[in-house]
Amino acid sequence: MGELPKLISESEVKRIFQFFQNQIERQAIVVSVIALRPVGETPFEKLQQMLLETARSSNLYFLLSKDVIGIVLYEATQKDAQFYLKRLERDFPQLTWQASICELRQKVADFQFIKEELVAQLPTTTTIFEKNISTRFSQRKKMKKKVSIVEANDVARHMLENAIHTIKLPNVEIALQTFSDGEAFLASDWYQSEHEHIVLLNAKLPRKNGLQVVSELRDLPNDRKFSIFLMSRLPAAEDQISAYEHGVDAYIIRPFNLGVLSAQVKQKLMKRAHK
């Protein structure tokens, strides 16, 4: 039998948790944390041994406070955490415990706040296998997503802008900017943040055309944050193939239905907002 895994240190938990927090904020993942303490006749050492013997590689196990073990479940909701605890209760009924669960759908400034919440939510009775659930951090904050319209025609630009303004999503804050040419867009610092970014781009533009803009965006190290819709009057297959080879995500042939384009943009915005 190999050596058992060990509880990781609090400093290591904080370091890893910072990465998780960035994932929660930018990628809308869900993380759940469990506080587990023995009750009744169960020694702390026996509970710890059982947890480490059955440890999952995707979970983190650490000493949360005296006689309380913390378990971090990555990409897991509070329902997943409850299922995990029910499995422990079923498979090891002789080891009695109580637990609290904290589901994280928003970035928390300090890991200490999560520790304090978990300890505060631990049951105050002596009932075995009792579980309390905290919803303090389970409300998803609005995700900021950017939309850029790069269109030389004033009327078309205004129509696209109005269409984007009609999109309403409960978990998304849309930040919109418009540009009349590719050079103005690339000269701005608007596209340089880490936010997911949808670019509605006319193929025919003064100064820098659409494909030149696409090439420059795809040369950036974080280019996958961009979803690029190229609008063109050229329906030929070779033009579409060239655009996709440059890195566009959607090739929109003009004239197009504005409602359909709005629905496509909305679907992209929803992609990670409703996890």
Side-chain angles (χ1 to χ4, degrees):
M1 182 175 175
E3 185 179 351
L4 285 179
K6 298 178 181 178
L7 298 178
I8 65 176
S9 67
E10 183 171 335
S11 61
E12 184 70 3
V13 172
K14 288 181 177 179
R15 185 186 67 79
I16 297 172
F17 209 79
Q18 185 58 50
F19 167 76
F20 287 173
Q21 289 284 278
N22 291 334
Q23 294 291 297
I24 290 169
E25 182 178 48
R26 296 176 184 174
Q27 302 298 327
I29 68 160
V30 181
V31 174
S32 290
V33 188
I34 299 171
L36 200 68
R37 72 177 175 199
V39 293
E41 301 299 318
T42 299
F44 175 81
E45 292 75 15
K46 288 287 186 182
L47 183 63
Q48 175 181 320
Q49 181 181 3
M50 178 272 289
L51 290 172
L52 295 180
E53 284 179 346
T54 60
R56 298 175 177 178
S57 60
S58 59
N59 295 347
L60 300 178
Y61 301 82
F62 63 100
L63 187 65
L64 191 143
S65 64
K66 185 182 178 185
D67 292 340
V68 180
I69 294 175
I71 309 168
V72 179
L73 280 63
Y74 182 65
E75 290 197 295
T77 66
Q78 58 91 0
K79 288 184 179 180
D80 296 322
Q82 288 188 73
F83 181 80
Y84 171 78
L85 291 174
K86 284 180 181 178
R87 189 169 58 80
L88 293 182
E89 180 182 348
R90 181 198 66 203
D91 294 346
F92 305 94
Q94 74 281 10
L95 298 176
T96 54
W97 44 260
Q98 294 177 325
S100 61
I101 301 170
C102 191
E103 181 186 77
L104 307 178
R105 291 178 180 265
Q106 59 179 263
K107 190 171 183 178
V108 182
D110 193 324
F111 185 68
Q112 185 64 29
F113 297 150
I114 299 168
K115 286 182 59 178
E116 292 172 356
E117 179 69 10
L118 284 164
V119 172
Q121 291 297 326
L122 282 166
T124 56
T125 68
T126 57
T127 306
I128 64 172
F129 303 128
E130 185 176 357
K131 301 174 281 290
N132 287 338
I133 297 171
S134 168
T135 59
R136 180 179 174 186
F137 307 114
S138 61
Q139 184 63 42
R140 176 80 69 199
K141 291 185 177 179
K142 283 195 171 186
M143 297 179 66
K144 184 176 181 180
K145 298 196 178 189
K146 289 186 171 183
V147 177
S148 293
I149 299 169
V150 190
E151 168 62 69
N153 184 281
D154 292 342
V155 174
R157 189 170 63 251
H158 184 66
M159 290 176 64
L160 288 165
E161 185 176 7
N162 285 342
I164 299 303
H165 281 311
T166 64
I167 298 174
K168 305 296 180 186
L169 293 169
N171 294 326
V172 176
E173 175 190 347
I174 300 174
L176 174 65
Q177 287 267 23
T178 65
F179 302 86
S180 60
D181 64 76
E183 182 70 30
F185 173 66
L186 292 172
S188 73
D189 60 0
W190 172 247
Y191 66 91
Q192 294 178 3
S193 72
E194 294 297 322
H195 297 98
E196 290 184 38
H197 196 149
I198 293 175
V199 182
L200 302 178
L201 180 65
N202 194 350
K204 189 175 181 181
L205 292 167
R207 300 204 283 177
K208 286 196 175 180
N209 65 38
L211 289 182
Q212 288 175 310
V213 173
V214 172
S215 294
E216 293 205 25
L217 293 180
R218 290 306 182 210
D219 282 340
L220 296 172
N222 58 344
D223 73 293
R224 297 322 304 171
K225 71 178 181 181
F226 296 106
S227 295
I228 304 174
F229 291 68
L230 187 71
M231 302 171 290
S232 174
R233 292 189 180 277
L234 303 176
E238 56 265 28
D239 294 305
Q240 297 185 51
I241 291 169
S242 174
Y244 284 114
E245 288 177 345
H246 276 77
V248 305
D249 296 282
Y251 190 92
I252 311 298
I253 299 173
R254 307 183 92 142
F256 53 81
N257 184 295
L258 198 56
V260 172
L261 179 60
S262 295
Q264 290 176 293
V265 172
K266 184 176 181 179
Q267 190 275 335
K268 280 288 186 181
L269 291 168
M270 290 171 59
K271 186 175 178 182
R272 289 187 174 269
H274 294 295
K275 278 193 171 184

